[in-house]
Amino acid sequence: VRGADPDRGFRGSHPRHGLDPVIHSPVRLSIVACLAAADKAEFAFVRDTVEVSDSVLSKQVSTLEEAGYVKVNKGYVGKRPRTWLSLSPAGRRALEAHLAALQVIASTAETRGPAGLGAATQSAMAGGHDA
Amino acid sequence: VTDEPTTLGPEGADAALGEVERAQAAVRTGSRWTARYLGACGIASLIFVTLTGLFPGRGGTVTAFWVGVVGAAVYYARRQWVSWQGFRRLNDLAFAAWGLLWTGTAVLGFALFPGRPIFWVPAAFVVAAPLFTAAWRSARR
């Protein structure tokens, strides 16, 4: 599985060509978005945030790990095993490119006039990029 | 195992962006412990520096208190599920600044102002300032 190259720009004129096929999946987008706002997150936290089962999250994380977007670290806190997930630099670049494409697509509706569509767009683009 | 992004419309894109924001808000909520942790370390630092300066003969007891506080803080931090992006760097910077300020305060204070509150009380606030500043930054996120 290979993700889109976030540095290559759009392949065609439509902004959908800028969407990353790996994180286009809603579950994987939620995972990557969650990890983008965090230094690291424990497996259970991501599972609860994305609202999926352990097995679904494990499968999706494997896909993201194969694409080079997510790093997985296993360890212990006391005697309890923990799995930590974090976003790789490639994953962060891919998310930024994907969000930019989503914003362009969403903005086509804003220019047509429905109220409120811009709020989520602006907020998502602002999140998880500072500090 | 990919989904070709061929059928996403404006409403779908905005819904996806809304989900991104929801996931990131969950991380911010889950990371609130970082402000409490840094604030508690700041308060413990105030106590440590003040007692160390005012009661130099009790250095062993006060140092044991500080080591216990740091150990408990590290244990508490390791048990948390998530921390916001940049927290680790901020935490490292805050404690590095704390170490430098404490070293300078200890050298100056023990040489020139042993047991004198006029030096040690303000110095305790100066030494704790990086931790309180980091706690404030964490709370603002």
Side-chain angles (χ1 to χ4, degrees):
Chain A
V1 178
R2 291 184 59 81
D5 178 359
D7 295 324
R8 68 152 195 255
F10 296 159
R11 288 171 294 186
S13 60
H14 195 283
R16 71 170 178 272
H17 296 300
L19 295 172
D20 187 297
V22 176
I23 57 177
H24 182 58
S25 150
V27 171
R28 289 197 290 270
L29 177 60
S30 295
I31 295 168
V32 170
C34 177
L35 296 179
D39 271 343
K40 62 179 183 179
E42 213 275 331
F43 186 93
F45 175 85
V46 179
R47 177 199 64 202
D48 293 348
T49 299
V50 181
E51 297 177 0
V52 293
S53 66
D54 284 356
S55 60
V56 168
L57 179 59
S58 184
K59 182 181 175 186
Q60 301 299 342
V61 166
S62 294
T63 300
L64 291 166
E65 194 178 15
E66 286 176 31
Y69 288 177
V70 166
K71 288 187 272 191
V72 179
N73 291 301
K74 294 179 186 292
Y76 285 86
V77 174
K79 292 182 178 179
R80 293 186 177 181
R82 289 280 182 94
T83 300
W84 297 98
L85 308 177
S86 59
L87 198 62
S88 70
R92 191 169 300 281
R93 287 194 300 271
L95 177 65
E96 288 172 358
H98 190 81
L99 291 181
L102 285 175
Q103 189 180 37
V104 171
I105 293 169
S107 69
T108 61
E110 289 170 20
T111 58
R112 291 199 300 250
L117 277 182
T121 303
Q122 296 296 327
S123 187
M125 293 300 291
H129 294 288
D130 54 351
Chain B
V1 190
T2 60
D3 305 294
E4 282 302 322
T6 56
T7 58
L8 188 69
E11 291 76 15
D14 204 68
L17 290 167
E19 174 56 26
V20 167
E21 169 56 23
R22 191 194 68 80
Q24 295 182 338
V27 172
R28 287 193 293 274
T29 301
S31 298
R32 284 178 184 161
W33 66 270
T34 59
R36 294 193 295 270
Y37 153 83
L38 288 165
C41 288
I43 291 169
S45 170
L46 275 178
I47 296 168
F48 167 67
V49 174
T50 303
L51 293 181
T52 300
L54 297 185
F55 305 100
R58 297 285 182 90
T61 305
V62 177
T63 301
F65 158 77
W66 179 243
V67 169
V69 165
V70 171
V74 169
Y75 180 72
Y76 171 75
R78 280 178 55 82
R79 285 174 55 88
Q80 304 306 310
W81 279 9
V82 68
S83 58
W84 53 270
Q85 189 215 346
F87 166 71
R88 192 182 313 164
R89 182 168 174 271
L90 179 69
N91 184 66
D92 292 349
L93 282 173
F95 274 96
W98 182 91
L100 287 173
L101 288 169
W102 165 238
T103 302
T105 297
V107 169
L108 192 64
F110 287 130
L112 302 177
F113 306 99
R116 295 180 61 185
I118 196 166
F119 174 83
W120 286 99
V121 172
F125 281 93
V126 171
V127 172
L131 300 176
F132 286 130
T133 303
W136 174 73
R137 282 202 61 181
S138 280
R140 284 190 62 201
R141 291 189 58 85

